[in-house]
Amino acid sequence: MKFGRSSLVFVLLMCAASANAAPLGTRTTLDNGAILLVAERPSIPMGVINILLKSGAAADPTGKEGAANLTAELLTRGTKQHSAQALAEQLDFLGASLRVDADLETSSVTLTTLTKNLPAALTLLAEVLTSPIFPIAELEKKRIEIAGGLQSREEDPGWVAQRAFLEKLYPQHPYGRLVEGQAATLTSLTREDVVAFHQTHYRPNNAIIAVAGDVTAEQFEKLFRTHLAEWQRGDIPDLTVPEQQQPKTTQITLDKKVAQANVIMGHIGVARSNPDYYNIQVMNYILGGGGFGSRLMDKIREELALVYSIGSGFSARKHAGPFTVVLQTKNASAKQALDESLKVIHTLIEGGPTEKEVTEAKAYLINSFPLRLVSNRDVASLLPVLEFHNLGLDYPDRYPTLIGQVTREQVHAAAKTYLRSEHLLQVVVADLAQAGLAKQ
């Protein structure tokens, strides 16, 4: 028996969907309100602990943008027990790493350590979480470092385009902010602001603790209770996120002496909780999320040779994030690349996908998903995301079915509903004279 490509894809898809179902880990609510998720993976004697705080730059007070990021940057720069240097030396001695990051919606503290050193490493983690001192000298160094980074990124036309796009799409909205803040807000941030952000948001009842590695849930819970007994609940303020209206079709052009134009167009997309999320995921793969298999890549790069790269994506967050098409092209090709990209979008809206496109998109999404769960770090990264978006620990096993049941008709409906060509905001950063565009 011979299989055509579509038949083979169908078989692969069904094989993936029929894998044995089992939750990725266990879930426990601790006395202090923290959610503990543990994936026992005993094959390697090490573990990754990822503590996700459900507050990020979106929780920065108005006028204090950058507070979440500065807090994260300073968390390991000294505790009541150790200076920054001493803390780094202790971690090095254990062969452990400790990283703190802030994003738009969350902050995270990630510890990687050998299992035998887990108690000692947890002691250091507890210090960082509960007793950072935020030294003034370290704050000033970080402030200068972050401001310098922002200034240097002004030379990156892609970053300039992204910033202009988000500011226009989300005015007076947390999603329009830079995580790092801006020069003016960075200058206004004080040690008291950083202390206030830490005391408000770094609380166990605002935390999802994910553990992946050579440790059982019972063992880790016991260690956690021992080393983080002093971590106390707090009152977490509700985050108010205003509803955002779709923009009118607008083009913003920014003149910059660059060798190639950077273009972003898009509109407000969907929240992660959108019931059509999986239809949208397949639709976006066909449009521009699927790399060389996507329509935008096929038409704009391969057929017309207008761009170096092009892709589309929906940033699905707690609230509606942006949908974007991003491309880089010669200055002189910017207008044509934009126009042709719009035609590709319109064609998908009007005619929908082919059955073959849908089958291949589903096969890729299903069969590539397990590759996101190869390492302990992968699992420790995914676990809190599942909790944050209320997806459930059995999500990896349900995912093949969620994608597999998407139909061509549903993908077409998603294109007609969620690609809003009448609301596309366009930002072009280019040598406008070469591009034949006026400054707007």
Side-chain angles (χ1 to χ4, degrees):
M1 180 181 292
K2 293 183 178 180
F3 287 100
R5 186 175 181 188
S6 295
S7 299
L8 178 60
V9 165
F10 178 76
V11 170
L12 290 172
L13 187 155
M14 294 309 294
C15 286
S18 63
N20 291 331
L24 188 58
T26 59
R27 181 185 188 278
T28 307
T29 302
L30 303 180
D31 294 340
N32 60 12
I35 303 298
L36 174 62
L37 310 172
V38 180
E40 298 178 16
R41 294 163 63 93
S43 57
I44 303 175
M46 55 86 70
V48 180
I49 294 96
N50 182 17
I51 300 180
L52 183 139
L53 288 308
K54 295 181 281 187
S55 302
D60 286 343
T62 301
K64 298 293 183 181
E65 289 84 355
N69 183 58
L70 190 56
T71 303
E73 292 280 355
L74 290 171
L75 212 64
T76 58
R77 303 310 298 168
T79 69
K80 291 178 181 176
Q81 296 82 8
H82 291 94
S83 67
Q85 180 67 29
L87 181 64
E89 289 174 357
Q90 288 285 316
L91 288 165
D92 286 348
F93 180 77
L94 296 172
S97 66
L98 184 59
R99 181 183 174 89
V100 187
D101 295 291
D103 204 338
L104 195 57
E105 294 188 303
T106 61
S107 301
S108 62
V109 183
T110 306
L111 171 69
T112 303
T113 180
L114 294 172
T115 307
K116 66 178 183 179
N117 293 334
L118 185 55
L122 270 179
T123 300
L124 299 176
L125 173 66
E127 282 184 29
V128 165
L129 273 175
T130 62
S131 59
I133 57 175
F134 304 116
I136 289 289
E138 294 286 346
L139 186 149
E140 294 304 330
K141 282 197 291 187
K142 280 295 174 187
R143 191 204 306 273
I144 293 171
E145 188 179 305
I146 295 168
L150 287 172
Q151 189 172 9
S152 69
R153 291 169 79 178
E154 293 290 343
E155 301 303 314
D156 179 353
W159 184 82
V160 172
Q162 180 78 7
R163 183 188 60 184
F165 177 81
L166 292 176
E167 286 178 351
K168 184 69 175 179
L169 191 64
Y170 291 105
Q172 309 302 318
H173 189 287
Y175 288 2
R177 296 174 178 171
L178 294 176
V179 171
E180 299 90 341
Q182 299 180 357
T185 61
L186 270 176
T187 301
S188 74
L189 286 174
T190 64
R191 181 180 179 279
E192 288 69 29
D193 295 324
V194 173
V195 170
F197 191 93
H198 172 260
Q199 291 186 345
T200 302
H201 297 285
Y202 281 71
R203 295 289 184 177
N205 52 316
N206 196 35
I208 303 167
I209 304 166
V211 183
D214 183 22
V215 60
T216 67
E218 184 180 1
Q219 288 170 334
F220 186 82
E221 188 173 339
K222 186 176 179 181
L223 286 169
F224 183 87
R225 291 183 191 281
T226 300
H227 293 276
L228 281 145
E230 302 302 318
W231 200 20
Q232 299 296 316
R233 287 173 179 263
D235 293 328
I236 311 299
D238 292 333
L239 179 63
T240 301
V241 177
E243 286 295 321
Q244 198 63 29
Q245 300 297 316
Q246 289 286 3
K248 295 179 180 177
T249 297
T250 307
Q251 186 176 78
I252 298 172
T253 53
L254 301 173
D255 193 21
K256 205 169 184 63
K257 298 305 175 189
V258 291
Q260 65 179 40
N262 280 256
V263 178
I264 299 179
M265 63 177 171
H267 51 66
I268 292 171
V270 297
R272 181 60 182 82
S273 58
N274 188 296
D276 293 328
Y277 175 79
Y278 302 99
N279 305 340
I280 295 167
Q281 201 174 15
V282 176
M283 180 270 288
N284 180 65
Y285 183 92
I286 294 167
L287 174 64
F292 282 95
S294 74
R295 289 194 179 190
L296 284 170
M297 188 68 89
D298 281 351
K299 181 69 178 182
I300 312 300
R301 174 175 161 136
E302 298 301 303
E303 182 180 332
L304 300 176
L306 287 175
V307 299
Y308 308 113
S309 65
I310 187 167
S312 65
F314 283 82
S315 297
R317 300 171 177 156
K318 278 285 186 184
H319 304 271
F323 160 71
T324 55
V325 173
V326 180
L327 65 91
Q328 291 83 41
T329 183
K330 295 176 184 174
N331 287 306
S333 305
K335 188 174 183 309
Q336 185 185 359
L338 261 172
D339 292 343
E340 293 293 339
S341 297
L342 284 169
K343 289 179 185 176
V344 172
I345 293 173
H346 283 135
T347 300
L348 184 57
I349 294 172
E350 291 167 5
T354 66
E355 198 68 58
K356 180 172 179 287
E357 285 178 318
V358 173
T359 301
E360 292 181 355
K362 291 193 298 184
Y364 174 81
L365 292 170
I366 290 171
N367 290 303
S368 63
F369 188 87
L371 300 178
R372 303 183 201 176
L373 300 172
V374 172
S375 68
N376 286 339
R377 182 172 295 277
D378 294 336
V379 174
S381 296
L382 180 63
L383 282 169
V385 174
L386 301 183
E387 177 71 22
F388 187 64
H389 289 294
N390 301 312
L391 298 175
L393 293 176
D394 61 345
Y395 180 77
D397 288 309
R398 290 189 292 110
Y399 184 81
T401 301
L402 293 168
I403 291 294
Q405 65 192 7
V406 174
T407 66
R408 193 194 76 83
E409 290 73 22
Q410 288 172 322
V411 175
H412 190 192
K416 289 191 285 189
T417 304
Y418 299 106
L419 295 178
R420 312 293 293 274
S421 60
E422 72 278 21
H423 291 294
L424 281 170
L425 168 64
Q426 303 172 7
V427 175
V428 182
V429 178
D431 185 322
L432 296 183
Q434 292 186 20
L437 294 168
K439 189 172 183 179
Q440 298 179 39

